[in-house]
Amino acid sequence: MNSILRSTIFLISVLATSFVPVQAQVNTEQVMRIGQNALYFDDYMLSIQYFNQAIQAKPFLAQPYVLRAIAKLNLEDYAGAENDATTAIGLNPYLTDAWEVRGVARQNQGRHSLAVEDYTEALKLLPRNRQLLFNKALALCDTKDYDSAAETFAELIKYYPGFENGYLGRARMELVTADTVAAKADIDKALQINDKALNAYIMRADIAISSEQDFESALADIDKAIRLQPRMAGLYINRAFLRYRLDSFSGAMADYDYALSLEPLNTVALFNRALLLQEVNANDLALEDFNRVLELEPDDYRALYNRAVVHRAKGNYDLAAADATRVAEQFPDFPGAYYLRGTIYKEQGKLARAETDFKKGDALSRSLTPEVAAKYNNIAAATPAETGSSNQQSATGTDSAPAQPSEKEVSRRFATLLTVDDNADFREEYNNTAIRGRIQDRNFNVETEPLMQLSFYTSPTELRRSTYYIREVDDLNSTRMLRFALMVTNSIPTLDEATISRHFQSIEYYNSYLATHKGRPVDFIGRALDFLTVRDYINAERDATRAISLAPDLAIAYMVRAQARYGRYLLERNGGNREAGDNAQQGHSDRLTRAGVARKALADIQADYDKVTELSPRTAVAWFNRGCILMEAEDYDAASEAFTKAIELKPDFGEAYYNRGYISLRAGRHNEGVEDLGKAGELGIVPAYSLIKRMQR
């Protein structure tokens, strides 16, 4: 989606008075109003929670679905926004915003013809609406129906001659149809109307680069764009290209450095900076950047080819040959791969292999067609490539969404996300600014939602203010036989010294009581929970086992023991390297032993949760925890089934949706994974939208 579209069609008004249901009861009105306020201030996650409440209270109202769809659009959950808008249209087909939101969602998914249909329906209700006409014209361009698009742009400009984006949208179409003169005239007109029109400068720079090779003029326009939008990494990447072409090496390098300070995972900036470093023989630094690119995009063969060149320059001949071989295997008719590998072999003294590769390269060069040559034009890149923030976009002309990546590609991309080390963990900040605005742009750690735990403490947030319900916990609290109120949560705060001291005192109380009284199951459960609070997992497990021996059908006792066992497992798993012995064989033996112990520990924990689900089969939290343990044991199919069961029992179980989506993406099932993540985000799981966006890059 080009930057004009992004900067305009998402800005749908959320304060329209038609959204206030006159017939609604006071509580629903209030919830809707608060949700609209949150949406207005870009608190998208929080607004969704309010709209969820309105939908739950009055599912027959269309407006909450439209508002929730707008919030999802801003979080780039386009499938979720489309679903909500479709529901709203089914409830009330006369809501213009519902048609528009669905059109925007479909357009962002590449379903341009369907988007045109939605905009057409909306225009029946509001025939001269500026935004609808603009969106429809852009969608028509994307379907390659340029005649209809031109008519729609003409209508738009007739009604709104002072709307600069109308001229820029038409200029985009004119560039696609190779009418550069008309495009420049429309861009100049847009700048006459608004000299701060960012996209106008970007588009004019593109024309200067691609059609006129006028790099100085393009640089002047990019400079103006940067003054208007100083934190857009793509602008610095494009300016670096222009500075390079104008022989300002240091300026280009500074721009790439700053672009990467804004977007550390930007592979274009990393690759181009590596080429610059390679050009001045800063091979160690170039190698770091090429390695980073290939860590993020393992199948980037341009980076692989150029890394081979750097390895050769450093004398790393085996590594260079391995990279060149991968390129040759992927592109067996690419002469450059054989010439490069032949040169590497020659410098290694492997003359027979070198001669074979040189002959192969010569033969391919003689038979190389212009089409094949064009395909390999950019693999052996010698200079930084032009990239990034152009408004030009090829139209697909299709009625359906673009083909989804293969299972192998989805799985590879997901595995790459698991390995990057620039992720930032905002889990501790869910109750403040980390949940506001475009949270999908934050690089949350890609990790599963943790087990639900029994605890006397929790950390409520704006998104999740209450704990989870387990009937047995509620029953136990109602007896008032525990010294503290018990809760179910996966967000336990760090306890201060005074709080911990109270639980040591509670343990002493139980010790004194059990020394003079016959122990009841609840006494051992109470002390076990105190032991869990002070992280004494061995004694917690012992007390839970005693409670089980006294009451074998007490489900909560198995939950306590499973939690204690899991705490021990985590300590042993994360406790660092133990002494491996005096030789490598001993170290190998220790690793095998630890792996066996870990499998046994997970099996014991799973057995406890199996018992809980047997005794209390409708406890969704138990099924969720069982799924988490199965994931830890890498039994992903069984884990997915457990999460599905948890969702059946508790349809608003956001963590279960998230973890099931995680499993689907790991297995390469893109649509299933994104659908589950969208539902998880809707239910307040903050990292879901970040993962959706990163999987769609």
Side-chain angles (χ1 to χ4, degrees):
M1 179 62 60
N2 62 80
S3 55
I4 295 178
L5 191 59
R6 280 180 174 155
S7 64
T8 56
I9 62 180
F10 291 156
L11 301 179
I12 302 169
S13 172
V14 298
L15 296 178
T17 56
S18 61
F19 279 172
V20 181
V22 176
Q23 76 280 16
Q25 294 180 359
V26 173
N27 287 345
T28 306
E29 277 189 358
Q30 184 179 13
V31 166
M32 289 276 286
R33 189 177 300 110
I34 296 171
Q36 286 174 288
N37 292 342
L39 187 56
Y40 179 79
F41 288 107
D42 298 337
D43 286 355
Y44 305 121
M45 288 292 295
L46 185 58
S47 70
I48 287 173
Q49 305 313 304
Y50 284 112
F51 300 139
N52 289 346
Q53 293 178 40
I55 289 168
Q56 185 176 9
K58 294 191 177 296
F60 51 83
L61 292 180
Q63 292 93 337
Y65 287 101
V66 178
L67 291 167
R68 192 170 71 179
I70 293 171
K72 289 179 179 180
L73 271 185
N74 283 279
L75 294 170
E76 298 182 50
D77 178 13
Y78 303 122
E82 180 184 357
N83 291 337
D84 276 350
T86 299
T87 301
I89 289 168
L91 293 168
N92 184 355
Y94 299 104
L95 278 178
T96 308
D97 288 330
W99 293 103
E100 183 177 5
V101 168
R102 192 170 73 173
V104 172
R106 286 174 164 176
Q107 201 166 354
N108 276 279
Q109 295 176 82
R111 302 162 70 183
H112 305 298
S113 292
L114 291 175
V116 170
E117 293 177 8
D118 282 339
Y119 296 139
T120 301
E121 290 295 325
L123 284 165
K124 291 178 182 177
L125 300 169
L126 291 175
R128 292 190 178 186
N129 182 274
R130 187 180 76 175
Q131 196 65 54
L132 289 170
L133 286 167
F134 179 69
N135 291 355
K136 181 180 178 181
L138 291 180
L140 286 166
C141 287
D142 289 329
T143 63
K144 298 186 180 180
D145 186 356
Y146 300 119
D147 290 338
S148 297
E151 292 176 5
T152 307
F153 276 124
E155 184 180 5
L156 171 66
I157 290 170
K158 174 186 173 183
Y159 295 144
Y160 304 100
F163 180 45
E164 74 269 13
N165 279 328
Y167 296 97
L168 293 178
R170 188 166 68 179
R172 169 182 177 265
M173 178 192 70
E174 290 159 346
L175 287 174
V176 172
T177 56
D179 191 351
T180 305
V181 174
K184 287 188 68 177
D186 273 338
I187 292 170
D188 290 341
K189 179 64 175 178
L191 285 170
Q192 288 176 17
I193 296 170
N194 178 11
D195 62 359
K196 293 181 173 59
L198 172 70
N199 291 303
Y201 292 112
I202 296 173
M203 292 176 71
R204 195 165 68 179
D206 287 341
I207 294 173
I209 294 168
S210 58
S211 300
E212 303 164 357
Q213 296 289 292
D214 184 354
F215 300 118
E216 290 186 356
S217 174
L219 179 60
D221 277 338
I222 292 296
D223 282 340
K224 292 175 183 175
I226 286 175
R227 283 196 289 272
L228 293 169
Q229 187 60 267
R231 296 189 62 79
M232 183 182 290
L235 294 177
Y236 292 94
I237 295 172
N238 276 11
R239 190 172 72 176
F241 162 78
L242 292 167
R243 284 177 163 177
Y244 175 84
R245 295 301 296 262
L246 293 170
D247 297 323
S248 176
F249 176 90
S250 60
M253 184 62 69
D255 275 343
Y256 286 132
D257 289 343
Y258 190 67
L260 286 166
S261 74
L262 296 173
E263 294 183 9
L265 305 183
N266 191 308
T267 55
V268 173
L270 285 166
F271 177 80
N272 284 356
R273 187 173 71 175
L275 291 179
L276 276 187
L277 292 165
Q278 182 182 357
E279 189 173 327
V280 296
N281 294 319
N283 291 316
D284 289 335
L285 295 174
L287 185 59
E288 289 180 10
D289 279 349
F290 283 133
N291 285 341
R292 188 65 169 143
V293 171
L294 288 164
E295 178 185 326
L296 296 167
E297 297 290 344
D299 295 331
D300 187 330
Y301 288 94
R302 287 198 313 162
L304 198 64
Y305 179 95
N306 285 281
R307 188 174 72 174
V309 173
V310 173
H311 275 314
R312 176 200 159 208
K314 288 174 56 65
N316 302 331
Y317 294 116
D318 289 338
L319 294 174
D323 282 348
T325 297
R326 277 191 60 194
V327 177
E329 289 173 348
Q330 179 67 22
F331 304 109
D333 54 351
F334 175 38
Y338 296 97
Y339 286 134
L340 175 59
R341 191 172 64 181
T343 303
I344 295 166
Y345 284 150
K346 182 179 179 181
E347 292 177 1
Q348 279 185 297
K350 299 176 180 179
L351 301 183
R353 290 186 179 183
E355 184 178 0
T356 299
D357 274 347
F358 287 141
K359 287 181 178 179
K360 179 72 171 177
D362 288 340
L364 289 172
S365 293
R366 286 192 294 271
S367 62
L368 195 64
T369 65
E371 293 77 18
V372 175
K375 182 171 71 171
Y376 299 131
N377 191 39
N378 289 326
I379 290 182
T383 61
E386 178 185 355
T387 59
S389 42
S390 169
N391 288 308
Q392 303 314 306
Q393 175 181 332
S394 60
T396 63
T398 178
D399 289 349
S400 59
Q404 294 294 343
S406 66
E407 286 193 2
K408 180 180 178 182
E409 170 62 17
V410 172
S411 181
R412 182 203 63 76
R413 191 182 305 173
F414 185 74
T416 300
L417 290 179
L418 293 178
T419 62
V420 298
D421 57 14
D422 281 338
N423 294 331
D425 189 358
F426 289 87
R427 186 176 301 279
E428 296 300 323
E429 301 178 40
Y430 280 6
N431 59 345
N432 55 43
T433 57
I435 67 169
R436 292 186 169 84
R438 292 173 54 84
I439 61 165
Q440 72 272 27
D441 294 336
R442 301 177 185 271
N443 289 324
F444 289 93
N445 276 336
V446 181
E447 58 187 8
T448 57
E449 287 293 304
L451 277 76
M452 298 294 163
Q453 299 187 55
L454 301 174
S455 175
F456 299 123
Y457 304 96
T458 187
S459 297
T461 71
E462 286 186 86
L463 298 182
R464 286 177 279 179
R465 297 170 186 255
S466 60
T467 60
Y468 286 85
Y469 175 79
I470 293 180
R471 178 177 56 81
E472 288 80 359
V473 171
D474 192 52
D475 291 344
L476 185 57
N477 282 332
S478 66
T479 67
R480 300 186 180 275
M481 298 178 74
L482 292 179
R483 293 171 58 77
F484 306 92
L486 188 60
M487 293 170 279
V488 183
T489 180
N490 68 348
S491 179
I492 299 176
T494 300
L495 304 181
D496 58 30
E497 185 176 347
T499 302
I500 293 173
S501 177
R502 282 200 298 272
H503 287 280
F504 277 115
Q505 293 170 10
S506 180
I507 291 169
E508 288 301 320
Y509 166 83
Y510 281 115
N511 291 343
S512 299
Y513 179 85
L514 290 170
T516 57
H517 296 76
K518 182 179 180 180
R520 301 165 298 176
V522 69
D523 300 322
F524 291 110
I525 288 174
R527 190 169 65 176
L529 290 167
D530 280 326
F531 279 129
L532 283 176
T533 304
V534 300
R535 308 296 178 97
D536 185 347
Y537 299 118
I538 293 176
N539 279 317
E541 181 180 348
R542 288 173 180 165
D543 273 352
T545 300
R546 289 179 182 133
I548 289 169
S549 67
L550 295 171
D553 59 349
L554 191 59
I556 198 169
Y558 293 96
M559 288 197 71
V560 172
R561 188 169 71 177
Q563 187 171 325
R565 286 173 166 176
Y566 187 65
R568 286 185 63 189
Y569 165 78
L570 290 180
L571 284 178
E572 293 172 7
R573 187 193 69 180
N574 301 328
N577 294 327
R578 299 178 181 179
E579 296 206 1
D582 296 330
N583 53 52
Q585 182 62 39
Q586 179 66 41
H588 177 68
S589 174
D590 283 352
R591 285 193 296 274
L592 290 177
T593 300
R594 288 198 297 274
V597 170
R599 285 194 298 272
K600 175 63 167 58
L602 290 173
D604 289 342
I605 299 166
Q606 182 185 332
D608 278 341
Y609 283 124
D610 287 345
K611 191 66 177 178
V612 177
T613 57
E614 175 190 329
L615 294 170
S616 185
R618 298 195 59 79
T619 301
V621 167
W623 287 101
F624 174 80
N625 283 2
R626 183 175 185 272
C628 291
I629 297 302
L630 288 165
M631 282 185 72
E632 187 78 27
E634 300 184 357
D635 188 350
Y636 296 110
D637 290 340
S640 185
E641 292 176 3
F643 292 134
T644 298
K645 182 65 176 178
I647 291 167
E648 290 174 359
L649 295 168
K650 182 177 172 55
D652 62 348
F653 207 153
E655 290 86 352
Y657 280 106
Y658 184 90
N659 284 2
R660 190 174 70 175
Y662 179 104
I663 291 173
S664 293
L665 291 179
R666 188 184 187 97
R669 299 190 296 273
H670 181 273
N671 288 349
E672 293 177 31
V674 169
E675 182 179 356
D676 274 346
L677 291 176
K679 188 65 176 177
E682 175 186 309
L683 293 168
I685 308 303
V686 178
Y689 292 114
S690 172
L691 186 50
I692 289 174
K693 178 172 182 175
R694 294 162 76 187
M695 285 300 297
Q696 294 178 157
R697 283 175 177 168

